[in-house]
Amino acid sequence: MALMFLPLVGSVSVSESLLAMVTVCIVYLLMRLQRPSIPEGLRRLPGPKPLPIIGNVLEMSTNPHLSLTAMSERYGPVYQIQIGMRPVVVLSGSETVRQALIKQGEEFSSRPDLYSFRFINDGKSLAFSSDQAGVWRARRKLAMSALRSFSTLEGSDLGYSCVLEEHICKEGEYLVKQLSSVMEASGSFDPFRHIVVSVANVICGMCFGRRYNHDDQELLSLVNLSDEFVQVAGSGNPVDFIPFLRFLPSQTMKNFLKINARFQNFVQRIVTEHYRTYDKNNIRDITDSLIDHCEDRKLDENSNVQVSDEKIVGIVNDLFGAGFDTISTALSWAVVYLVAYPDTQEKLHQEMKDNVGLERTPLLSDKPNLPFLEAFIMELFRHSSFLPFTIPHCTSKDTALNGYFIPKDTCVFINQWQVNHDPALWKDPYSFIPERFLDADGMTVNKMDAEKVMIFGMGKRRCIGEAIGRTEVFLFLAILIQKLHFHELPGHPLDMTPEYGLTMKHKRCQLRASLRLCQED
Ligand code: HEM
């Protein structure tokens, strides 16, 4: 268990360690003396007894989604752990999560001020920063409207319902060609390495009006760094909660800072170019539309909230970052599941053949005729739960949940993984069974069951890219299933153990794919 500290702890002298420990002990004792009193009628939160200084860090293990799920079986859907000296409330169970994020949404919608979040987008991230509520609301509204207008724009080609669909279909077809040529040249391919470029190109098109070649070194070096980003930004990173760890040398933290700086530079250069070529009468993409908002000073006319230009244009940084990592993780997992469950892969291909055919590119309008594909995607979201926790939340005032008192400014973890594996909600939750989402006739997806899956969060902080995410996963996957047959590389058995982080990825692997012939029986 202590292994999780190793990347964070370097060589320090004995006297420095002692001084740090004594300081921490004093702070710990002071904090215990200051424990909030519980208002009448409410109870103190249950939870495991914390150790001095480190709290419950050792019990969290390297897979907090599993250990915190196990704790919820013991302490119930609302309990408190302590990471270092900071109390953290953990929520699980669909009803409790819904109560907190929807019915008491206002009280649970802030973000905690966590150390690692200060480096994301230079501390100005829409998703991670602890912006004051009015500023966050204004930026979120702007981001949603920019996303909506640039994803629903009319496509230039006949047959596409919108520019988003056109982008995805073109990138999907290009991805098939790319995988085929890599297969021809090398005999195997790394799914994440190629999917991430195709997905990044879709969001780059919307945000910056450009696409990149699959061999573009600058884009590749950026998108392939996301593994280290998500490891640090995942819920429960000790450095966010144990202040003295910040002063110890850590390669992981150094890499995290480097990734953020590189990301920031990449976007900043594109934004500067956009400012230089901005033309009010020709708004080319989301970056232009955000610059336009700044120029017009039309932001949120109904409120007096002032948001800096930097924070407005910086929204594009969040959209680009969230827009490629989440979707490429989902799609890369999807390909791995297709290989792990070959009968399911064949059933999906057969459904495609029967309802779309093998000649034309699948479209969004085919969705109602591909219920098994929809069920497969729901089961992929549920079973992999590749976003095991939402981004941490924080209480904006003293509140109560299920009769327990939760003080203002308490960090809150929402365990999506637990909701998706709760035996009270799902029969045989650890098995991968896409059919569980189909009605008895096998022809329609049961919407009530589909809504129980939690992967985009819920309530006021719910993901603003959900519609785009669902569209991309569906269309890219439809194209891949129609055109390619995926297999294991002999001698390289699949390892489906996820690596914990903000988004959990499968281990990098080599797979094989063969082109499906159009006249195949
Ligand atoms: C399959 C794809 C995706 C998944 C599973 C996903 C999931 C999530 C989750 C769990 C959250 C945190 C919710 C919370 O803290 O309660 C979130 C937030 C967010 N997502 Fe996504 N997301 C996806 C795609 C996207 C895309 C494509 C974009 C943008 C183009 C995007 C933009 C954002 C933003 C800006 C936030 C922060 C919202 C806020 O704090 O107000 N996401 N997403």
Side-chain angles (χ1 to χ4, degrees), residues 379 382-383 420-423 426-432 436:
E379 183 66 342
R382 185 199 71 80
H383 191 263
N420 293 334
H421 293 83
D422 188 346
W426 309 101
K427 196 170 161 242
D428 203 0
Y430 295 95
S431 299
F432 184 78
R436 70 169 80 237

Side-chain angles (χ1 to χ4, degrees), residues 207-210 269-279 284-285 287-288 291:
C207 289
F208 310 129
R210 64 172 72 171
R269 249 183 302 125
I270 300 178
V271 168
T272 308
E273 175 64 17
H274 271 67
Y275 265 111
R276 204 177 56 74
T277 52
Y278 164 77
D279 170 5
R284 300 160 290 183
D285 47 38
T287 308
D288 267 357
I291 293 174

Side-chain angles (χ1 to χ4, degrees), residues 146-147 150-153 162-175 194-214 219 223 266 284-287 316 319-328 331 364 465 467-477 479:
L147 271 185
F150 279 90
S151 54
T152 54
L153 266 183
C162 61
V163 75
L164 175 66
E165 182 176 37
E166 182 177 346
H167 271 160
I168 304 169
C169 288
K170 289 184 172 165
E171 289 299 333
E173 295 293 343
Y174 193 77
L175 176 61
H194 297 281
I195 287 171
V196 72
V197 179
S198 304
V199 172
N201 269 337
V202 174
I203 192 75
C204 272
M206 273 194 290
C207 289
F208 310 129
R210 64 172 72 171
R211 75 177 295 277
Y212 292 83
N213 194 289
H214 274 247
L219 186 75
V223 293
F266 177 85
R284 300 160 290 183
D285 47 38
I286 289 181
T287 308
V316 78
L319 299 181
F320 177 47
F324 78 79
D325 180 64
T326 47
I327 298 174
S328 32
L331 283 168
L364 266 181
I468 295 176
R470 287 187 190 276
T471 301
E472 282 199 51
V473 173
F474 171 79
L475 269 183
F476 267 115
L477 206 46
I479 294 169

Side-chain angles (χ1 to χ4, degrees), residues 130-146:
S130 45
D131 264 341
Q132 177 230 332
V135 172
W136 160 68
R137 220 172 282 122
R139 295 178 82 203
R140 183 175 161 102
K141 206 165 131 191
L142 248 181
M144 285 167 71
S145 119

Side-chain angles (χ1 to χ4, degrees), residues 222-489:
L222 200 69
V223 293
N224 275 301
L225 283 178
S226 64
D227 293 17
E228 285 172 295
F229 177 88
V230 297
Q231 275 164 24
V232 174
S235 292
N237 179 2
V239 84
D240 283 333
F241 299 90
I242 307 179
F244 79 85
L245 292 178
R246 291 167 207 172
F247 304 106
L248 303 181
S250 151
Q251 195 53 44
T252 313
M253 217 39 213
K254 257 194 210 146
N255 289 346
F256 180 72
L257 300 190
K258 209 159 62 186
I259 299 161
N260 279 293
R262 207 187 277 184
F263 202 83
Q264 187 79 2
N265 270 341
F266 177 85
V267 177
Q268 195 50 51
R269 249 183 302 125
I270 300 178
V271 168
T272 308
E273 175 64 17
H274 271 67
Y275 265 111
R276 204 177 56 74
T277 52
Y278 164 77
D279 170 5
K280 193 165 183 36
N281 300 313
N282 177 26
I283 302 300
R284 300 160 290 183
D285 47 38
I286 289 181
T287 308
D288 267 357
S289 94
L290 293 171
I291 293 174
D292 197 49
H293 268 280
C294 298
E295 300 289 309
D296 276 1
R297 295 262 159 240
K298 274 185 196 154
L299 178 66
D300 213 12
E301 285 152 359
N302 302 326
S303 94
N304 294 322
V305 178
Q306 280 305 309
V307 187
S308 68
D309 286 6
E310 216 187 343
K311 277 203 172 181
I312 294 173
V313 182
I315 290 173
V316 78
N317 207 319
D318 277 87
L319 299 181
F320 177 47
F324 78 79
D325 180 64
T326 47
I327 298 174
S328 32
T329 305
L331 283 168
S332 197
W333 270 115
V335 170
V336 168
Y337 275 87
L338 290 177
V339 172
Y341 296 89
D343 293 348
T344 300
Q345 184 174 182
E346 277 323 293
K347 199 168 157 185
L348 285 164
H349 181 71
Q350 193 60 45
E351 181 187 64
M352 185 65 65
K353 219 160 123 182
D354 294 345
N355 297 291
V356 177
L358 301 181
E359 306 280 344
R360 67 164 177 89
T361 305
L363 293 170
L364 266 181
S365 51
D366 292 314
K367 205 170 181 178
N369 302 321
L370 299 169
F372 189 55
L373 176 55
E374 217 186 324
F376 173 79
I377 293 170
M378 292 321 301
E379 183 66 342
L380 167 79
F381 286 167
R382 185 199 71 80
H383 191 263
S384 71
S385 290
F386 66 90
L387 248 142
F389 293 93
T390 66
I391 300 169
H393 287 229
C394 176
T395 45
S396 56
K397 57 178 186 174
D398 285 356
T399 184
L401 187 64
N402 293 8
Y404 295 110
F405 175 63
I406 307 178
K408 181 176 189 273
D409 290 332
T410 303
C411 180
V412 182
F413 288 175
I414 317 281
N415 193 347
Q416 302 201 115
W417 196 94
Q418 189 281 337
V419 172
N420 293 334
H421 293 83
D422 188 346
L425 224 54
W426 309 101
K427 196 170 161 242
D428 203 0
Y430 295 95
S431 299
F432 184 78
I433 314 171
E435 290 81 356
R436 70 169 80 237
F437 288 102
L438 294 178
D439 279 336
D441 61 3
M443 305 296 280
T444 36
V445 172
N446 184 314
K447 295 283 174 216
M448 279 214 329
D449 283 341
E451 275 165 24
K452 286 194 263 173
V453 178
M454 189 177 178
I455 192 88
F456 293 97
M458 203 179 264
K460 296 196 180 299
R461 285 277 179 174
R462 191 178 182 116
C463 174
I464 62 171
E466 177 172 350
I468 295 176
R470 287 187 190 276
T471 301
E472 282 199 51
V473 173
F474 171 79
L475 269 183
F476 267 115
L477 206 46
I479 294 169
L480 291 176
I481 287 167
Q482 184 195 45
K483 298 279 188 322
L484 294 170
H485 183 198
F486 296 96
H487 330 252
E488 226 173 75
L489 178 66

